[in-house]
Amino acid sequence: MLNELGGGAGEDIATAFAPLLDAAGRIGMADSSEYDYSGKLNQEFKTYQDNDPLRGFTEAKALLTTELVGLGTVVGGVTIAL
């Protein structure tokens, strides 16, 4: 396969791919339990939400936007019906 990729003896491409294959092997055999963040990310996000000074403003803006879209739908529907 390396001969076909390199279009020649394949030795140059094999040396170029060796570090990549090494790294892939280490990543594939790594212990995934060291990357277990279950629960921690939810807790961090909850802390962020609780301490976000713009949270009330953002929620009010979203609610207002939703209500205005609903009002536009009702007004637009009445206009079309007339």
Side-chain angles (χ1 to χ4, degrees):
M1 179 174 126
L2 291 176
N3 284 341
E4 292 174 13
L5 287 174
E11 292 175 13
D12 293 337
I13 201 160
T15 40
F17 275 116
L20 178 63
L21 293 175
D22 254 355
R26 283 193 309 274
I27 292 169
M29 294 171 36
D31 183 16
S32 63
S33 65
E34 68 180 271
Y35 303 109
D36 183 19
Y37 294 107
S38 59
K40 183 160 176 63
L41 292 179
N42 289 338
Q43 181 182 0
E44 294 292 332
F45 184 67
K46 178 77 172 129
T47 303
Y48 163 74
Q49 281 184 324
D50 292 343
N51 295 313
D52 184 12
L54 296 177
R55 183 171 183 216
F57 173 76
T58 305
E59 288 176 356
K61 181 181 170 190
L63 181 62
L64 179 63
T65 302
T66 303
E67 292 300 322
L68 287 175
V69 168
L71 179 64
T73 302
V74 170
V75 170
V78 170
T79 304
I80 292 172
L82 296 175

